[in-house]
Amino acid sequence: MILVKDLSIERSNKKIFENVNLSLGTGKIIILKGENGSGKTTLLKSILNLIEPTSGSIYWKGKLLNKNLNDFYNHVTYIADKTTSLRKLTVQDNINIWKKIFLSKIGKSNIENILKILKLDFYLGQKVNSLSFGEIKKLELLRLIIENKKIWILDEPLSNLDKETINVVEQTFEDHCAKEGSIIFSSHQDTVINVTEEVIL
Amino acid sequence: MISFLSKIGSFYYREYKLNLSGFQDILTNIIFFFVSIFIFIFSIGPEKETISLIGVGIVWTLLLLSSTLSLRKFYQDDFENGNLLLMRLNGFSYGFISILKTFSHFLFVQVPFLLSIPIACILLNIANDKVVYLFASFAIGSLILSCLGSISSSMNLMNQRNFLLGSLIVMIFSVPIIIFSVGIINMEKNFYSLMSVLVGILLIVFSINPWASGLCLKLSLENN
């Protein structure tokens, strides 16, 4: 589905990475590893067409990505290292907004179950401001289920999470791939996720 | 098409919720506007004629200053918390995001000022027949200010250290708007011709806005 061919990125005359190749097919999980500043986030952003590469190309369903961008965006969920939840609003408000924005058909009971698993069900009426960073991160990951898209692109999804939540996330990744989804994510941490390909930057 | 319209609807639902939770910001702007009017009245003195003569100019200047106060938050919050990125990935182009945000600024920042105009006119002893002209000129002028605000705030995202630069740009480009808007009220016979000039300015900034703001948003997200 996604093919990255000889991708290189330079910024301010400094090479971030060069000649990266990867191929993400149905049911695959790709992990990006590397030190701080090695360009993991930059690579993820360039796959999303948010950063223009210096050279190389990215294809989506056999066509150049920038010629097929709207269709690509309809199939992809991106979880950045920043959390996009609106801090002034409650957890419930954020969920409602995401459901409306992404035209999600997920049922109320489904969301309640996931919130229970993530131990966020007690915070529904609380403002996001009052949650810890780990809890905000868990809320952010809920967006994967709300958006319900085939391709997940995630920047450090396991950071700031406790062991129990990491296990839930790892299980969710495997379930998603079993349903013909695909995932690219970056991580510093060792993981038990059964990855198809490891890209070292 | 229906899903695209639903996405636009949900964007404004989000803006409504955000503005409702930050209602104190809107209220502060309005209070700033009225406190400034009182300061002008006290500094000018009790002569009704003088106040009513320069009242329209005062209202317009304060409307401009007050709406400039809100410019910092135009894109900044959404930029910092990654929501601009989310909007882009939700299928909105950068230019279209700027149009949506401009209307949101008009609705949630300028419209409360528009509704405050009659009270300001009473305080400044502005004749009843002039209130309608002031209302009409501000309805067009505030939309121009929102477009200029969008351009300057998106430029500010690339220049995080100097917020005043953006406000300065808005102030400079607002001079013709103030000239024509105040002119409408003082030269009622030329109402339609001066309104046409204002609408012309609106059409120019409205067509430049998505192009200029969109480019600034793209560049600032690329370099973030």
Side-chain angles (χ1 to χ4, degrees), chain A residues 11 45 48 50-52 69 73 78 82-84 86 88-89 93 97-98 100-103 143, chain B residues 3 6-7 10 13-14 17 21 79-83 85-86 88-90 94 218 222-224:
Chain A
R11 271 177 154 183
K45 283 188 171 178
L48 289 161
L50 298 168
I51 294 177
E52 282 206 20
L69 204 54
Y73 285 164
Y78 175 55
K82 287 174 186 171
T83 54
T84 56
L86 303 164
K88 287 183 196 168
L89 303 184
D93 283 338
I97 287 172
W98 285 336
K100 281 177 190 284
I101 285 178
F102 298 109
L103 311 174
R143 199 152 56 76
Chain B
S3 67
S6 304
K7 283 181 183 179
S10 55
Y13 171 75
R14 171 192 171 278
K17 289 296 258 185
S21 71
F79 175 71
E80 282 170 1
N81 62 24
N83 271 272
L85 208 64
L86 216 59
R88 176 71 191 106
L89 295 178
N90 199 26
Y94 293 113
K218 183 177 187 286
E222 267 185 19
N223 296 315
N224 185 26

Side-chain angles (χ1 to χ4, degrees), chain A residues 14-27:
Chain A
K14 188 193 160 207
K15 273 181 189 163
I16 309 284
F17 55 77
E18 60 180 336
N19 297 328
V20 171
N21 290 287
L22 59 89
S23 157
L24 183 75
T26 307

